Amino acid sequence: QVHLQESGPGLVKASETLSLTCTVSGGSISNYYWSWIRQPPEKGLEWIGYIHSSGSANYNPSLKSRATLSIDTSTSQFSLRLSSVTAADTAMYYCARVSTTVGANHYFDYWGQGILVTVSS
Amino acid sequence: DIQMTQSPSSLSASIGDRVTITCRASQSIGRDLNWYQQKPGKGPNLLIYTASNLQFGVPPRFSGSGSGTYFTLTISSLQPEDFATYYCQQSFGSLTFGGGTRVEMK
């Protein structure tokens, strides 16, 4: 059973950079895409981006200028950096595994429990 | 971006009821549509992928259908553990989610 665990600071100051790490266990990080999704309090889900174990990444156009994903297959971890944060970036941040079908449908089949990040002024 | 519109945004139902949630895409997305269930304080759980494929371990009372711009998630007989919020998600373009449908007890 694949298990994902988010880690990082729960409080970030406005204008600074949010940094989170997701550790994958119970399965290989290789040959999959890995993603970050966030959910502001009492709101819906927003996809941030995903990264392949090879290092190629794809981002939500609305966050592309501020988000950077990276991956370290030797430690089975992947990370998110989100720069110049504001109060609007306060959210529960989830990491997830992306599976794909032959027809290239991308879906999230394993999720972490989430980590709440609050941006303070 | 492809916009996903779910309806209703919330509904009240009783145990044993048949429940249907709809998801409409702003343009055709083929069958690149997935459904998730989220309970309070938890991460989402995949129910259906590629419009109608039941994820392993998900009870068969859940089913999905549709293609193009119109999709539905049906719970054939609502159980106590099904009270939750449900989201659709498309992957034809940049990945986006619907706004969610909250299923509450009547």
Side-chain angles (χ1 to χ4, degrees), chain B residues 59-74:
Chain B
R61 63 180 178 273
F62 291 93
S63 64
S65 66
S67 65
T69 62
Y70 183 79
F71 301 85
T72 61
L73 173 71
T74 299

Side-chain angles (χ1 to χ4, degrees), chain A residues 35 37 39 42-47 50 59-62 92 94 98 101 103-113, chain B residues 1 31-34 36 38 41-46 49-51 55 87 89-92 94-99 102:
Chain A
S35 188
I37 300 113
Q39 184 172 35
E42 304 302 318
K43 293 191 177 180
L45 299 160
E46 180 180 35
W47 171 67
Y50 59 66
Y59 297 94
N60 185 328
S62 69
M92 185 72 79
Y94 296 100
V98 183
T101 62
N105 179 34
H106 290 59
Y107 55 93
F108 308 106
D109 57 355
Y110 290 96
W111 295 67
Q113 66 183 20
Chain B
D1 277 6
R31 291 174 54 81
D32 293 347
L33 190 284
N34 312 299
Y36 302 86
Q38 186 178 31
K42 302 284 189 180
N45 181 51
L46 176 68
Y49 63 95
T50 319
Q55 172 68 350
Y87 293 93
Q89 171 251 319
Q90 66 79 24
S91 72
F92 188 83
S94 181
L95 308 186
T96 53
F97 291 87
R102 185 171 179 177

Side-chain angles (χ1 to χ4, degrees), chain B residues 3-94:
Chain B
Q3 306 301 317
M4 306 302 294
T5 303
Q6 284 184 238
S7 61
S9 58
S10 65
L11 65 90
S12 298
S14 301
I15 301 300
D17 282 354
R18 182 181 181 87
V19 171
T20 298
I21 298 166
T22 66
C23 182
R24 293 180 186 268
S26 60
Q27 65 183 73
S28 179
I29 59 170
R31 291 174 54 81
D32 293 347
L33 190 284
N34 312 299
W35 290 98
Y36 302 86
Q37 176 194 68
Q38 186 178 31
K39 296 183 178 179
K42 302 284 189 180
N45 181 51
L46 176 68
L47 298 175
I48 302 284
Y49 63 95
T50 319
S52 61
N53 294 281
L54 195 67
Q55 172 68 350
F56 182 78
V58 174
R61 63 180 178 273
F62 291 93
S63 64
S65 66
S67 65
T69 62
Y70 183 79
F71 301 85
T72 61
L73 173 71
T74 299
I75 309 171
S76 61
S77 178
L78 195 67
Q79 299 302 300
E81 60 268 32
D82 301 337
F83 293 103
T85 300
Y86 294 84
Y87 293 93
C88 61
Q89 171 251 319
Q90 66 79 24
S91 72
F92 188 83
S94 181

Side-chain angles (χ1 to χ4, degrees), chain A residues 57-121:
Chain A
N58 193 10
Y59 297 94
N60 185 328
S62 69
L63 293 169
K64 186 174 183 178
S65 62
R66 296 196 293 129
T68 303
L69 301 190
S70 59
I71 192 163
D72 185 345
T73 56
S74 67
T75 59
S76 292
Q77 294 179 324
F78 63 103
S79 299
L80 165 70
R81 288 173 56 85
L82 187 68
S83 64
S84 305
V85 297
T86 69
D89 295 309
T90 293
M92 185 72 79
Y93 285 76
Y94 296 100
C95 59
R97 191 181 82 169
V98 183
S99 282
T100 60
T101 62
V102 172
N105 179 34
H106 290 59
Y107 55 93
F108 308 106
D109 57 355
Y110 290 96
W111 295 67
Q113 66 183 20
I115 183 169
L116 178 62
V117 179
T118 301
V119 178
S120 68
S121 55

